Structure formats: structure tokens, C-alpha cells
Amino acid sequence: MDGDDDTSGQMIDEIYANGGEETDQRSRRAIMSGDQLDIEAYSALYSGRTKIMRLLFIANSSKNPTVQLDALRMAYDEIKKGENTQLFREVVQKIDGRLGPNYDMDLSWCEAVERKAEQKKERLENELNAYRCPSGALLYIMGYTFDT
């Protein structure tokens, strides 16, 4: 039993990013040292929705209010780079004004993103309908080839 205690004390207490062949300082920065998690270094390993979901997991799992707010702040900033207004509203609700006025609900951003998404949806539906309904000449050619 004493041997097990000695090996547990020798456990690695730092986790590093897997950077492949990169040797720059950023990829060798410790992500976790003891119980402390460097959220910025950890989230830098990911991008897009994966980054947001990992930050939200950290915010929901952490008992430390500072870590929660840091993760929510970074998630807020990352979401604003994309187009997910529903997730944005959820994060703003979790922040609940604790990060100041810069991290409140941005209704103009939400409306602009939703308007842009609706326009894109209409454009794609119109394109799809144009491909579904072949032109009269094409119908004539298809009818001619099937009749013979």
C-alpha cells in the first residue's frame, strides 16, 4: 500500500496541449497545473461550436464563480463570431448581468443574424425550387425520349 502512495505523489500535475511538431510557446503552455485550469489555453485547442460547448461545460461544472464567469465570457465572445442566436440567449441568461453592460443581450445583433438567416433560407429554397421544376424545353425533351 505504501508503494501506491509513492506513485500517486509522482503523478504528472501539468497537462500540455498536443501541438504536433510546433514548438512555439503557446503550444507548450500548461493547461492544467494541480487543480487550476487555464481556460484560455484549453479553449485555444478548439474552435467553433466545440469550443463553445466545452466552455459551457466548464461554466456549468465549475464551483468557482470566477472560472464560471471567465468561461461564460469566452463563450459569449465566441458565439458572437457565429450565427447561433438561441445559444447566445442561453449564455446571456446564464451571465445574468454579472459581467457588466458589455455582456448584456444584444438584440440588434440577434435580429440582424436572424434576418440574414431568413434571407439565406429563402434564397436556398428558391434555388431548390428552380432545380425541382425543370423548364418547358426540358419537359419536352424528356417526354420525347420516353415516348420513342
Side-chain angles (χ1 to χ4, degrees):
M1 287 292 201
D2 291 332
D4 291 340
D5 291 339
D6 292 339
T7 57
S8 66
Q10 296 174 351
M11 289 179 60
I12 298 173
D13 63 347
E14 292 184 347
I15 299 174
Y16 291 96
N18 290 339
E21 296 297 318
E22 288 184 19
T23 58
D24 65 290
Q25 187 65 20
R26 185 172 156 209
S27 67
R28 294 297 304 161
R29 187 171 153 197
I31 295 172
M32 184 173 224
S33 180
D35 291 335
Q36 291 289 95
L37 174 68
D38 186 353
I39 299 171
E40 289 183 20
Y42 178 73
S43 67
L45 300 172
Y46 304 97
S47 63
R49 184 165 175 83
T50 304
K51 182 176 186 176
I52 295 166
M53 298 313 291
R54 295 209 179 231
L55 288 167
L56 291 177
F57 177 78
I58 292 169
N60 292 333
S61 302
S62 177
K63 293 180 173 95
N64 184 343
T66 305
V67 171
Q68 289 176 347
L69 289 177
D70 280 347
L72 289 172
R73 175 187 51 80
M74 293 173 67
Y76 180 100
D77 293 338
E78 191 68 25
I79 291 170
K80 292 269 299 221
K81 296 176 186 175
E83 298 177 344
N84 193 336
T85 58
Q86 181 180 359
L87 194 56
F88 177 76
R89 287 184 170 98
E90 290 174 17
V91 168
V92 168
Q93 185 178 8
K94 288 179 183 183
I95 291 173
D96 195 28
R98 296 180 290 171
L99 290 174
N102 291 340
Y103 292 92
D104 284 340
M105 177 60 76
D106 188 353
L107 289 176
S108 61
W109 179 82
C110 287
E111 290 171 0
V113 167
E114 288 170 353
R115 191 175 329 109
K116 185 177 167 184
E118 186 64 32
Q119 290 171 350
K120 184 176 182 178
K121 177 184 168 192
E122 288 176 9
R123 181 181 55 80
L124 291 172
E125 284 178 348
N126 288 338
E127 274 184 43
L128 182 61
N129 288 335
Y131 288 117
R132 281 186 185 162
C133 301
S135 67
L138 184 58
L139 286 174
Y140 176 76
I141 293 169
M142 288 173 57
Y144 179 75
T145 56
F146 290 126
D147 286 341
T148 59

